[in-house]
Amino acid sequence: QVQLVESGGGLVQAGDSLRLSCVVSGRTFSSYGMGWFRQAPGKEREFVAAISWIGGSPYYTDSVKGRFAISRDNAKNTLYLQMNSLKPEDTAVYYCAASVRALCVMRACMDYWGKGTLVTVSS
């Protein structure tokens, strides 16, 4: 069974940075397209960023372009999301997700999900 465990969330002020991590176990990490999604209170879960199984082709939602960076270390079975210049509207539970496809940028094509880590950005 594939397991995804996120970490790195917390309470920060606007303008600060955080780095989220997601450790994947159970199968070969390098065979998955990976992504980050987030869900704010009262809203649906939305796409944030995705990266292909070999680490190329990063995709971002428009609201985080230039501020967030997704990366992966296949040797460590770990996905990262570097978040800079955080804004209060970035407040959400952030979820790591894995797809058996080389690259997936939608909830519908993700096959495995973590339980999430909470990021709170105060103004």
Side-chain angles (χ1 to χ4, degrees), residues 12-14 87-88 121-123:
V12 297
Q13 293 187 333
K87 304 176 180 180
V121 184
S122 64
S123 57

Side-chain angles (χ1 to χ4, degrees), residues 3-7 21-24 96 114-115:
Q3 292 187 324
L4 294 78
V5 180
E6 304 96 333
S7 63
S21 299
C22 172
V23 177
V24 180
C96 171
K115 295 184 178 181

Side-chain angles (χ1 to χ4, degrees), residues 5-49:
V5 180
E6 304 96 333
S7 63
L11 172 63
V12 297
Q13 293 187 333
D16 286 350
S17 298
L18 275 177
R19 188 175 80 157
L20 305 183
S21 299
C22 172
V23 177
V24 180
S25 61
R27 287 189 62 179
T28 305
F29 175 68
S30 59
S31 65
Y32 292 113
M34 299 295 299
W36 288 99
F37 292 74
R38 66 186 180 186
Q39 187 166 16
K43 296 187 177 181
E44 292 198 354
R45 194 172 301 186
E46 65 173 358
F47 169 76
V48 175

Side-chain angles (χ1 to χ4, degrees), residues 63-94:
S63 62
V64 308
K65 285 180 181 177
R67 299 188 299 122
F68 290 12
I70 187 171
S71 62
R72 65 190 295 161
D73 186 336
N74 287 348
K76 296 182 178 180
N77 290 356
T78 303
L79 177 74
Y80 302 100
L81 184 68
Q82 178 66 44
M83 305 186 294
N84 300 325
S85 302
L86 282 162
K87 304 176 180 180
E89 51 263 44
D90 295 318
T91 295
V93 177
Y94 283 72

Side-chain angles (χ1 to χ4, degrees), residues 104-118:
C104 168
V105 298
M106 299 183 298
R107 288 174 58 184
C109 57
M110 288 297 180
D111 299 290
Y112 304 99
W113 293 85
K115 295 184 178 181
T117 185
L118 176 63

